């Protein structure tokens, strides 16, 4: 069911949500969180699709904030809010509200979003494209327990990564880090099998890949060794090589969903190491809403070497 509202208010949107739920006989009590997506019109469809697929695991109310810019001066100075309410099959297992904001109201999006949050439920804010320099201090970000950004979507990812280091607050995370979960799990499992100290490390990846830089910083912090960065043709991270006294531990994925794991004195074996879609990354991030301490360590990299930590 879809309800369109023009020049509306948060109160009218809430009434439309109740009306929609009654019409399809769907209560709101099954929803576990509110997901706020802050995006532009160009990326709204893909973002909503990913959130809808993630909602099968995490039923949620999704609020999509789109700040529109009118073409002429008269409309640009006029402040108003249009909304599109989706419930039932139109919104996965939860409900979706698309908020298109014009004029001054777009500068106060938090005042529109706040009355629409599910009561007594966690709030997650996701910026699929451009995010504020300091997500925790953004008016919308301040409402959330978890703030999700994506270094892959920015024009200068390495510069933005350094801004993330300076502005990090508990609750921040990034999909560039989430993309590394399978790599980190396999590297930890390989080291558990090898049981030997690592003396050197290399991360091979395409140029200016933020996930590769986070992986290298994480390895430096956890293994207390220097990690060399080697540029390849990609795609994304293609290999990690860990040097030991007994030989190299290597995970190599030149292309495709399969990687090869090589351990000293053992035959190579194949591993599934696919590039996961955005919906899977979002679903993973929603499983835990506490502070991502490993992400903080990866951001700081060598600064964490002083602490006696283990992989």
């Amino acid at each position: 069911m879809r309800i369109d509202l023009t020049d509306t208010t948060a109160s009218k949107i809430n009434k439309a949500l109740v009306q929609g739920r009654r019409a399809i006989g769907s209560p709101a009590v099954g929803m576990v969180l509110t997901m706020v997506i802050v995006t532009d019109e160009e990326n709204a469809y893909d973002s909503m699709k990913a959130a809808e697929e993630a909602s099968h695991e995490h039923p949620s109310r999704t609020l999509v904030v789109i700040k529109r810019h009118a073409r002429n001066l008269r409309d640009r100075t006029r402040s108003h809010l249009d909304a599109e309410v989706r419930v039932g099959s139109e919104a996965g297992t939860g409900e979706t509200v698309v908020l298109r904001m014009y004029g001054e109201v777009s500068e106060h999006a938090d005042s529109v979003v706040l009355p629409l949050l599910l009561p007594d439920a966690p709030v997650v804010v996701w910026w699929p494209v451009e995010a504020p320099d300091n997500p925790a201090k953004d008016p919308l970000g301040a409402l959330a327990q978890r703030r999700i950004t994506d270094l892959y979507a920015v024009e200068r990812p390495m510069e933005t990564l350094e801004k993330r280091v300076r502005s990090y607050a508990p609750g921040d995370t990034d999909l560039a880090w989430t993309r590394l979960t399978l790599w980190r799990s396999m590297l930890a499992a390989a080291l558990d099998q090898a049981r030997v100290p690592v003396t050197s490390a290399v991360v091979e990846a395409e140029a200016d890949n933020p996930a590769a830089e986070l992986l290298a910083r994480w390895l430096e912090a956890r293994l207390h060794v220097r990690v060399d960065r080697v540029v390849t043709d990609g795609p994304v991270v293609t290999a990690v090589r860990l040097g030991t006294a007994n030989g190299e531990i290597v995970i190599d994925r030149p292309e495709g969903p399969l990687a090869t794991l090589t351990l000293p004195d053992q035959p190579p074996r194949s591993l599934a190491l696919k590039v996961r879609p955005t919906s899977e990354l979002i679903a993973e991030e929603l499983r835990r809403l506490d502070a991502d301490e490993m992400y903080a360590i990866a951001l700081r990299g060598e600064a964490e070497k002083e602490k006696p930590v283990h992989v």
Side-chain angles (χ1 to χ4, degrees):
M1 182 177 182
R2 184 178 300 189
I3 303 171
D4 292 321
L5 302 172
T6 304
D7 201 2
T8 189
T9 63
S11 176
K12 292 178 181 178
I13 294 170
N14 265 320
K15 290 179 181 178
L17 284 167
V18 173
Q19 174 189 342
R21 287 198 302 269
R22 286 176 176 171
I24 65 172
S26 173
V29 293
M31 289 181 283
V32 297
L33 58 90
T34 303
M35 163 76 83
V36 181
I37 303 174
V38 187
T39 185
D40 54 21
E41 199 72 63
E42 180 182 355
N43 295 280
Y45 175 82
D46 290 339
S47 304
M48 284 190 286
K49 188 68 175 175
E52 178 185 329
E53 292 176 7
S55 74
H56 293 290
E57 183 176 339
H58 309 278
S60 59
R61 172 177 290 178
T62 302
L63 306 177
V64 184
V65 176
I66 302 174
K67 299 178 182 180
R68 298 292 299 270
H69 299 283
R71 295 181 179 179
N72 58 68
L73 181 60
R74 185 189 66 182
D75 290 341
R76 204 173 300 154
T77 56
R78 178 173 172 261
S79 179
H80 70 285
L81 169 69
D82 293 340
E84 184 181 310
V85 177
R86 304 179 182 183
V87 293
S89 61
E90 294 277 356
T93 59
E95 53 194 24
T96 299
V97 181
V98 183
L99 303 166
R100 291 183 171 88
M101 303 180 182
Y102 300 80
E104 189 178 352
V105 70
S106 64
E107 302 301 321
H108 304 280
D110 55 311
S111 64
V112 177
V113 167
L114 186 60
L116 301 176
L117 302 178
L118 289 172
D120 303 319
V123 179
V124 177
V125 177
W126 172 32
W127 292 271
V129 193
E130 294 292 337
D133 289 342
N134 192 330
K137 291 187 177 180
D138 178 81
L140 286 172
L143 300 174
Q145 284 74 41
R146 176 56 64 94
R147 296 167 293 274
I148 304 173
T149 54
D150 192 354
L151 287 165
Y152 272 70
V154 301
E155 187 175 349
R156 295 182 176 87
M158 306 312 288
E159 291 181 17
T160 305
L161 175 59
E162 296 310 317
K163 292 179 182 178
R164 297 280 182 266
V165 175
R166 295 190 294 270
S167 67
Y168 173 81
D172 291 353
T173 192
D174 195 280
L175 294 186
W177 174 246
T178 319
R179 291 181 178 93
L180 294 172
T181 299
L182 297 180
W183 279 95
R184 293 189 293 121
S185 298
M186 291 180 182
L187 286 167
L191 288 170
D192 283 343
Q193 294 180 55
R195 297 277 181 187
V196 288
V198 174
T199 56
S200 63
V202 176
V203 172
E204 300 180 3
E206 62 190 2
D208 295 327
N209 184 277
E213 180 61 24
L214 286 171
L215 181 59
R217 294 185 184 194
W218 176 70
L219 289 170
E220 284 177 337
R222 306 303 276 177
L223 299 175
H224 300 270
V225 299
R226 175 183 173 180
V227 177
D228 294 323
R229 284 75 159 167
V230 174
V231 176
T232 66
D233 293 333
V236 295
V237 180
T238 55
V240 174
R241 305 179 187 278
L242 305 179
T244 73
N246 297 338
E248 274 195 331
I249 299 170
V250 180
I251 297 180
D252 186 22
R253 186 190 64 182
E255 58 183 357
L258 290 179
T260 301
L261 169 64
T262 305
L263 296 171
D265 304 320
Q266 294 187 29
R269 69 191 75 170
S270 295
L271 303 172
L273 196 55
K274 66 176 183 176
V275 177
R276 297 183 294 165
T278 304
S279 58
E280 288 189 22
L281 304 177
I282 292 296
E284 178 184 327
E285 285 299 334
L286 297 182
R287 287 174 199 143
R288 290 187 58 183
L289 299 180
D290 54 342
D292 191 338
E293 295 179 359
M294 287 298 103
Y295 173 60
I297 288 174
L299 280 177
R300 299 183 185 119
E302 291 183 305
E304 286 292 314
K305 283 188 176 181
E306 300 175 0
K307 298 181 180 180
V309 292
H310 305 280
V311 172

